[in-house]
Amino acid sequence: MGAVSNTAVRSAFNRIDTEYRPAGGPPGHPGAPAPSSPGRPFSASRAFDKLAGLCIAALVAGIVGFFAVPADAAYGFMVVAFALVMVGWLRIRWARYIAPSYSVVEGLALGSVSREFSSFGHGIVPTAIVFTAAVFVGALVLYRTGLVRVTPRMMSLAFMGAFGIMAVGFLSLVGLSVPGLDSLTGAGLIFTVLMLGIAVLNLFTDFQFVVQSEARGVSAEGEWAAAFAMMTALVLVYISMLRILGAAYGGGGRRG
């Protein structure tokens, strides 16, 4: 579900300049000075603060889902999360309402899914959470230090990869699947590693979006769209880590 969500949110990024640009402000370009704005301009620090809030909401919902949401209900929550993202894609200005709702619903679903994976080993869920946080911090450090530069080619690869995972996710939602990809071993494990790589690429493009939005002086409302996109990328990282750790713990069959 994270891949489906991330692709839709990222497609909406193409409309951010139009949706959130201050009235009369020209389209920006990377590094352009921010145009004057009668309202509060975009702030990278506030976008990350909003992301932290979304993560906390998802974590709390995940705890509830772990203990109270049956496996069958998790599927329903995933469908609702997908619907929320589609609405957010069409109505990007609603991100301030849709992002928290998505975090809670997705958290409930992932909590239930995490309970299934915990049967492989008691430490698998906290380990996946720690690894997810480490991947985010590592990606941010690499971006901030300039060791990784976001190029048009990287953005294209991130989008195409996420689009491919979106197609796989959609097939799964309608009850179909690509043979072997649901397994935690073999082709399924290779797919999961690729999924993790794509999620990291999407994080880099999200960071680029945050920096460019602050430079362009778009409206502060765009902070919610940025936080939403980063949240969906983190969901994909977490799902990937669950599957990889599940394979390491000797799990098999269809999971996540």
Side-chain angles (χ1 to χ4, degrees), residues 6-27:
N6 198 262
T7 300
V9 173
R10 185 153 291 90
S11 296
F13 278 6
N14 295 328
R15 307 199 311 270
I16 289 291
D17 260 350
T18 301
E19 293 283 345
Y20 292 132
R21 190 188 311 134

Side-chain angles (χ1 to χ4, degrees), residues 22 35-42 217-220:
S36 60
S37 171
R40 189 173 65 173
F42 187 104
V218 301
S219 168

Side-chain angles (χ1 to χ4, degrees), residues 41-210:
F42 187 104
S43 167
S45 62
R46 286 197 302 268
F48 284 110
D49 288 343
K50 289 177 172 60
L51 172 63
L54 295 179
C55 289
I56 292 173
L59 181 60
V60 172
I63 294 174
V64 174
F66 188 93
F67 292 104
V69 176
D72 292 341
Y75 175 82
F77 284 119
M78 289 182 181
V79 173
V80 173
F82 177 78
L84 285 172
V85 170
M86 291 299 99
V87 174
W89 179 40
L90 297 173
R91 294 290 184 271
I92 193 65
R93 282 188 176 274
W94 295 358
R96 66 167 53 245
Y97 309 110
I98 294 175
S101 300
Y102 166 81
S103 296
V104 171
V105 173
E106 190 74 82
L108 290 170
L110 291 179
S112 180
V113 171
S114 297
R115 182 179 64 248
E116 299 299 313
F117 275 90
S118 67
S119 63
F120 298 152
H122 294 299
I124 190 170
V125 174
T127 301
I129 293 174
V130 170
F131 267 102
T132 299
V135 167
F136 178 83
V137 173
L140 184 59
V141 169
L142 289 174
Y143 177 80
R144 290 287 192 183
T145 57
L147 293 176
V148 173
R149 299 180 63 85
V150 177
T151 63
R153 179 179 177 81
M154 177 185 290
M155 296 182 71
S156 297
L157 289 174
F159 177 79
M160 289 188 295
F163 188 82
I165 297 176
M166 178 188 73
V168 174
F170 177 78
L171 290 175
S172 179
L173 283 178
V174 298
L176 302 174
S177 62
V178 178
L181 295 190
D182 286 333
S183 171
L184 296 182
T185 59
L189 180 58
I190 294 174
F191 175 75
T192 300
V193 173
L194 289 174
M195 187 166 66
L196 177 60
I198 291 168
V200 173
L201 286 179
N202 279 292
L203 279 175
F204 287 134
T205 61
D206 292 340
F207 299 153
Q208 180 82 344
F209 169 76
V210 169

